[in-house]
Amino acid sequence: MAAPMSWRRLVYSVYPPAIAGVFTRISDRLFRARDRRGGSSVLLLAPLLAEADPAPRYVSRPAGAQGTDGLCAHFRWMAEHVPAFRVPGNHIHILSSPDQFYQTIKARIKTAKRRVVMASLYLGTGQLEQELVDCMEDALERSQDNSDAPDLKVSVLLDYTRGSRGQINSRTMLLPLLQRFASQMRVSLYHTPDLRGLLRLLVPQRFNETIGVQHIKVYLFDDSIIISGANLSDSYFTNRQDRYVLLENCREVADFFSDLVEAVGDVSLQLQPDDSVTMLEGMVHPYKGNRQDFSAAARKRIMEVMNTAHVRQRLLNGSVDSEDEGMSEGEEDTWVFPLVQMKPLGIQLDEQVTQRLLTDAGPTSTVFLTSGYFNLTQAYMRLVLGAGARYRILTASPEVNGFFGAKGVAGAIPAAYIHIARQFYNQVCFLGQQERIHLHEYHRSQWTFHAKGLWYYLQGQDRPCLTLIGSPNFGYRSVHRDLEAQIAIVTENKELQSRLQEEQEILYLRSTEVSGSTFERPDRHVKLWVKLVTPLIKNFF
C-alpha cells in the first residue's frame, strides 16, 4: 500500500528549487510588462528560463460520473468542451509499424479521389519521401485525365522553420508539384508568432524551431484519416517507433480535421511556385504584424472550426448528455473527441481535457502513459504524483532517444532526460509511491522511440476503454509552445479494446522497469554541467 501524502510533502517534492522560482517570478514580470507595452521580442527569452505552470484546472464532475456505471457516465463531460463524433469501432484500425504507416499513406494517396490533406512538422528529403511526392504527382496527373477524380485537391501543412532548413528541404521537395498543379495544390508553412524581431535574427536556423512549431500530425485521404505522432521522414518509415491509428470512412471526423488544417493553413505563409512565401489577403503576418493581433485572428479562425463542429455534433448527438448507460445505438459504439492545444494562440483544450483525465483517474483506475521525451509539465507531474490511479509510464532509454549520438549540445539531451527521469523517480520514492507509479524504459537495437499517448483502464477491466493518440508529448513545449492535436477514443467495442490492449502490450514488452540501481549504472552517469543546465533548457524540448 502506498504511503499517505500530505500536501506540504507533495509541493515540497515536486516544485523546482528556489533558484527556479526566482527565474519564474522574474520572467513572469518581464513577460507581463512586454504584453502591456507590446514591446521587445527579446523578452520572449525570459519564459525559457523556467517553467511556471498554473495550478491544475479542475472541472466539476457531472452527476453520475462516479463508479463504473458505463462509459457514458465517465466521459460524456468531454462533449461539453469539444466535438464528439460517433463512429463504428470496427472502422478504427491500429497500425503497428513504421513500414505499415508508410505503405498505408502511399496506398491511400494513390486511391484518393477528392482530397489529400497532410499536416506534419516537416517532409524529409530522402528517397522514401520522394516516393511519397511521386505518389502525389501520380494522383494529381490521374485526376486531370480521369473523370472519376477530376477535382482532387492536395493540401500540405508544415512548419516554416523546420521545413525551410538547409538548401534542400521540405519546400524544395514540394515545389515541382506546386509549379505543375498550381490550381490543385496548396502548401502552407506555419510560423510561430513568438519567433520575431531580434530573437528571429539571433537564434541560429538549427535551433529556431525550439521557440515553437506546427507539430500536428494528420494524414487524410478522402473520408479516411491517420492520426499519429510520426513525421514524414525516412526514420519514421523504417526504424522509429511511434503510434498510428487509421479511421476508415469516418467522414465527419475527416471533415473536421480537413477544416482544422485548412484553418491553420489560412493563418500560415503560403508557398509560391518561385519558392517565395506570402500571406493570404487580409491575414495578419505572424512575425511582421502585431503579436496580439495575429494570435487573436488565428484563434478566431481556428475556433470557428471547433465551435461549428461542436454545435453541430451536440445537435446531432443529443444523447451524449443523456443518462443512458450505453454509448449509442447500433454499430456506433465509439466516440472520437478531437483535442487541440495551441497556447500561443490562446487555445488549450487538450491541456484542460488531459488534466481532467489525470484528475479523475482514481485508485480503481490504471493509466499506461508513454512519451518519447519524458519531461512532464509541473501540472501533469503534480497530478500523477498526487492522484490515486496506478501509473505505468514508458519512455525512451538513452540509446533509443532520437538525440542519441548527436553532435554538439544536442548530444547531451539524452543525458538531460536521464537526469529528469531520475528526479521524478526520486520523488516517487520520497513519497512512498513505488507500488503505484512505475517507470519503464523502451529498448530496441538500432531503433528510436517516439510513441506518445495513454491507455486508460477502469476498475476490474483488463482492456482499455480510452486512449489518447496524436502529437502531444505531455511536456512543456507541447503545452505552451507548439501547435498540437490528438484524439481521445472512447469505446465499448470489445474488439477495438483488444486491439488497443495489444498495441500497449507490444510497446511495453520491449521495456524494462526502472529501479534505483538503473541510475547507478555507468551508462546513466550525467555530467555536472548537464545537471546544471537541464532546468534552463528543459522547456526547449
Side-chain angles (χ1 to χ4, degrees):
M1 178 69 69
M5 291 179 290
S6 71
W7 70 269
R8 291 182 183 275
R9 288 177 63 198
L10 179 59
V11 171
Y12 177 79
S13 66
V14 174
Y15 275 86
I19 185 66
V22 172
F23 277 128
T24 300
R25 288 191 292 274
I26 293 174
S27 65
D28 282 350
R29 291 178 182 177
L30 291 174
F31 204 49
R32 286 195 296 268
R34 182 193 68 83
D35 287 342
R36 289 193 297 269
R37 299 192 308 268
S40 170
S41 303
V42 175
L43 294 183
L44 286 169
L45 288 171
L48 300 179
L49 296 177
E51 180 177 9
D53 277 346
R57 182 182 186 274
Y58 293 93
V59 183
S60 60
R61 297 171 186 251
Q66 306 284 349
T68 58
D69 54 349
L71 297 181
C72 181
H74 277 277
F75 300 114
R76 70 170 180 263
W77 56 268
M78 291 189 194
E80 300 170 8
H81 305 286
V82 297
F85 298 98
R86 282 182 177 169
V87 303
N90 59 10
H91 284 207
I92 298 179
H93 309 284
I94 308 300
L95 308 182
S96 60
S97 69
D99 181 66
Q100 187 180 14
F101 168 61
Y102 177 62
Q103 298 300 336
T104 302
I105 290 180
K106 288 173 61 178
R108 296 296 170 140
I109 292 174
K110 292 177 180 178
T111 58
K113 291 180 170 58
R114 293 185 293 108
R115 60 185 175 184
V116 171
V117 179
M118 314 273 275
S120 187
L121 175 63
Y122 68 105
L123 171 68
T125 59
Q127 181 58 40
L128 295 180
E129 297 92 323
Q130 184 60 55
E131 289 181 20
L132 276 187
V133 175
D134 293 343
C135 286
M136 286 187 259
E137 183 177 24
D138 291 343
L140 288 166
E141 286 179 344
R142 284 196 307 272
S143 75
Q144 294 183 341
D145 301 332
N146 188 348
S147 59
D148 292 335
D151 299 319
L152 178 67
K153 304 291 185 183
V154 175
S155 176
V156 180
L157 170 65
L158 305 172
D159 181 70
Y160 177 90
T161 54
R162 186 62 180 268
S164 303
R165 183 195 294 177
Q167 294 297 314
I168 301 176
N169 51 44
S170 305
R171 292 163 62 166
T172 60
M173 292 288 288
L174 293 169
L175 277 176
L177 292 186
L178 197 59
Q179 291 162 354
R180 283 194 60 192
F181 307 99
S183 63
Q184 296 175 267
M185 183 82 181
R186 181 189 192 190
V187 179
S188 304
L189 302 168
Y190 176 82
H191 192 295
T192 176
D194 291 331
L195 184 64
R196 56 174 50 234
L198 188 58
L199 188 65
R200 192 170 189 273
L201 295 175
L202 293 178
V203 178
Q205 188 180 66
R206 187 182 177 190
F207 299 103
N208 55 14
E209 67 184 79
T210 61
I211 307 303
V213 295
Q214 192 303 114
H215 202 244
I216 298 169
K217 320 295 173 61
V218 167
Y219 309 109
L220 190 153
F221 320 94
D222 290 341
D223 294 333
S224 299
I225 179 173
I226 296 174
I227 304 291
S228 179
N231 292 303
L232 296 174
S233 180
D234 55 1
S235 63
Y236 292 91
F237 303 149
T238 53
N239 63 345
R240 188 161 173 78
Q241 183 64 59
D242 215 299
R243 297 180 66 209
Y244 337 82
V245 61
L246 169 64
L247 285 75
E248 181 86 44
N249 293 325
C250 297
R251 180 161 189 168
E252 290 182 340
V253 181
D255 285 347
F256 170 83
F257 277 101
S258 178
D259 291 343
L260 177 66
V261 172
E262 181 181 12
V264 178
D266 285 349
V267 301
S268 301
L269 295 157
Q270 307 300 306
L271 184 64
Q272 303 301 312
D274 63 356
D275 200 24
S276 64
V277 291
T278 61
M279 291 296 293
L280 293 180
E281 185 176 355
M283 294 295 179
V284 181
H285 198 283
Y287 63 87
K288 294 180 180 178
N290 179 272
R291 168 67 170 82
Q292 287 72 30
D293 290 346
F294 172 82
S295 294
R299 182 184 190 280
K300 179 181 178 182
R301 176 70 183 90
I302 292 163
M303 287 306 295
E304 285 175 356
V305 175
M306 294 295 299
N307 293 334
T308 300
H310 195 190
V311 171
R312 183 174 186 273
Q313 292 309 119
R314 286 179 69 86
L315 291 174
L316 289 174
N317 302 325
S319 62
V320 169
D321 296 319
S322 73
E323 297 299 327
D324 295 340
E325 299 238 341
M327 294 276 292
S328 61
E329 298 180 357
E331 294 182 348
E332 294 184 335
D333 50 14
T334 300
W335 287 345
V336 174
F337 299 92
L339 309 176
V340 177
Q341 182 75 9
M342 304 176 179
K343 209 160 190 177
L345 309 181
I347 301 171
Q348 51 195 93
L349 298 171
D350 178 67
E351 177 186 12
Q352 293 169 2
V353 171
T354 301
Q355 287 189 1
R356 169 67 182 274
L357 279 174
L358 300 182
T359 300
D360 282 6
T364 60
S365 302
T366 301
V367 177
F368 285 76
L369 184 151
T370 180
S371 176
Y373 305 110
F374 182 69
N375 184 22
L376 296 180
T377 66
Q378 290 292 337
Y380 290 161
M381 192 178 297
R382 287 196 294 271
L383 291 173
V384 170
L385 292 172
R390 295 179 294 274
Y391 278 87
R392 301 293 185 270
I393 301 174
L394 176 62
T395 187
S397 61
E399 65 272 14
V400 300
N401 186 292
F403 292 96
F404 186 75
K407 297 179 180 179
V409 176
I413 290 178
Y417 281 116
I418 293 173
H419 184 54
I420 293 170
R422 182 168 192 169
Q423 288 180 318
F424 177 79
Y425 180 80
N426 289 343
Q427 290 166 0
V428 171
C429 294
F430 178 79
L431 296 171
Q433 298 296 303
Q434 301 96 311
E435 295 301 314
R436 186 176 65 84
I437 303 173
H438 298 261
L439 188 61
H440 300 255
E441 289 185 344
Y442 185 89
H443 303 273
R444 194 170 184 180
S445 178
Q446 304 301 313
W447 280 59
T448 56
F449 184 71
H450 197 248
K452 70 265 302 199
L454 64 78
W455 301 260
Y456 191 106
Y457 295 72
L458 290 175
Q459 179 185 19
Q461 297 189 359
D462 59 358
R463 291 174 291 195
C465 61
L466 178 149
T467 191
L468 295 183
I469 181 169
S471 64
N473 283 298
F474 304 105
Y476 185 91
R477 283 191 57 181
S478 287
V479 172
H480 294 275
R481 300 194 176 282
D482 298 339
L483 303 194
E484 307 278 10
Q486 65 179 337
I487 56 174
I489 300 174
V490 179
T491 184
E492 287 183 337
N493 184 292
K494 299 303 182 184
E495 184 179 350
L496 178 55
Q497 289 180 352
S498 295
R499 293 198 299 268
L500 290 171
Q501 168 72 8
E502 182 181 9
E503 177 198 32
Q504 176 261 303
E505 287 180 345
I506 290 173
L507 291 176
Y508 279 74
L509 281 173
R510 292 187 177 274
S511 74
T512 57
E513 186 170 348
V514 170
S515 66
S517 62
T518 302
F519 299 105
E520 302 303 324
R521 289 161 40 185
D523 63 337
R524 292 300 195 278
H525 174 71
V526 180
K527 296 179 180 179
L528 178 60
W529 73 269
V530 175
K531 295 180 181 179
L532 293 175
V533 302
T534 294
L536 303 180
I537 66 172
K538 64 181 296 186
N539 300 342
F540 284 94
F541 52 86

